[in-house]
Amino acid sequence: MTRKLYMMRHGETLFNTQKRVQGWSDSPLTELGIAQAEAAGRYFRERGIVFEAVYSSTQERAVDTAKLVAQTDQVCQLKGIKEMNFGSFEAQPEHLLPKSHPGAKSFEDLLVPYGGEDLREVGKRVKASMDDVLANTSAQTILMVSHGAAMWGLVQYAIEEAFPMGIYFSNCSICEFALEGARLVLKAVINPLTGDVVTI
């Protein structure tokens, strides 16, 4: 049996609705966010996917999403997959964020002067956390609930060449990975709320 790891973004939050930056700061899931997480859980169950291990970032929105998706309170929290630190822009309106360089696919290192993180460094810590989990659990099917920028950092750090253009991580979007030998390979990007699947 091929080991599978599903990394997904949390459901909609209060800050999402207010268009506020929500890096290391936190806000609760909205009623819609709860419904999204429950729908994502049904998506997995309808396909016979049962998680042997469930992880989330240490942030409330991810923990609550993981519990709803997997229908369990047994969620291991990992600092390594928490959201990107946006420095002095935390909890501020999104329109105040610095503009990306022309042609850039992300904030890159633009937030570092403001006390934030370099996006590729975020991706590096997310990948290290994933690798650590895979090395220290025998679970064959794993769920990890993380965050949009953290997942995008992972793409920029580890899988940019294989990632299709025009795809972004809406609430509850899922990256399906398979462990092929010692290598973690992205197989698909899934929107469980619409049923759309982009195979890689």
Side-chain angles (χ1 to χ4, degrees):
M1 178 180 173
T2 302
R3 295 182 79 188
K4 291 285 187 75
L5 188 156
Y6 296 87
M7 175 165 277
M8 68 177 288
R9 186 184 174 201
H10 58 80
E12 182 192 76
T13 68
L14 178 63
F15 274 17
N16 289 155
T17 65
Q18 295 174 344
K19 298 193 181 305
R20 289 187 176 274
V21 177
Q22 190 179 223
W24 281 14
S25 56
D26 212 352
S27 72
L29 296 178
T30 61
E31 288 186 13
L32 176 58
I34 292 168
Q36 289 172 336
E38 291 171 341
R42 288 193 296 274
Y43 178 91
F44 286 118
R45 289 190 297 278
E46 287 167 0
R47 286 153 183 79
I49 298 168
V50 178
F51 299 108
E52 297 174 34
V54 181
Y55 299 85
S56 77
S57 87
T58 51
Q59 294 167 281
E60 175 186 346
R61 58 194 188 269
V63 177
D64 288 350
T65 298
K67 288 179 178 180
L68 289 164
V69 170
Q71 295 186 323
T72 181
D73 287 330
Q74 302 303 307
V75 176
C76 180
Q77 297 178 34
L78 303 173
K79 287 185 179 180
I81 63 172
K82 72 187 295 186
E83 181 59 299
M84 178 177 175
N85 182 356
F86 284 79
S88 58
F89 294 98
E90 289 283 333
Q92 298 302 309
E94 292 175 354
H95 68 83
L96 297 178
L97 285 165
K99 304 306 178 209
S100 300
H101 300 300
K105 298 178 182 177
S106 72
F107 288 113
E108 298 175 329
D109 61 354
L110 287 178
L111 297 172
V112 173
Y114 303 96
E117 289 183 280
D118 181 319
L119 189 79
R120 287 181 62 84
E121 289 300 312
V122 175
K124 184 177 181 180
R125 69 165 160 80
V126 171
K127 180 62 164 57
S129 200
M130 295 168 76
D131 290 344
D132 184 63
V133 164
L134 289 167
N136 289 287
T137 180
S138 60
Q140 296 296 299
T141 308
I142 299 166
L143 173 67
M144 287 187 172
V145 179
S146 185
H147 306 266
M151 291 170 64
W152 191 243
L154 176 67
V155 167
Q156 298 301 305
Y157 174 73
I159 51 179
E160 182 178 11
E161 292 181 3
F163 201 80
M165 296 288 290
I167 301 296
Y168 69 98
F169 300 126
S170 56
N171 291 116
C172 288
S173 289
I174 301 161
C175 286
E176 177 187 341
F177 294 92
L179 192 64
E180 297 182 354
R183 192 163 156 259
L184 198 59
V185 179
L186 179 63
K187 292 295 187 180
V189 178
I190 302 163
N191 184 332
L193 309 180
T194 64
D196 292 339
V197 178
V198 177
T199 54
I200 309 301

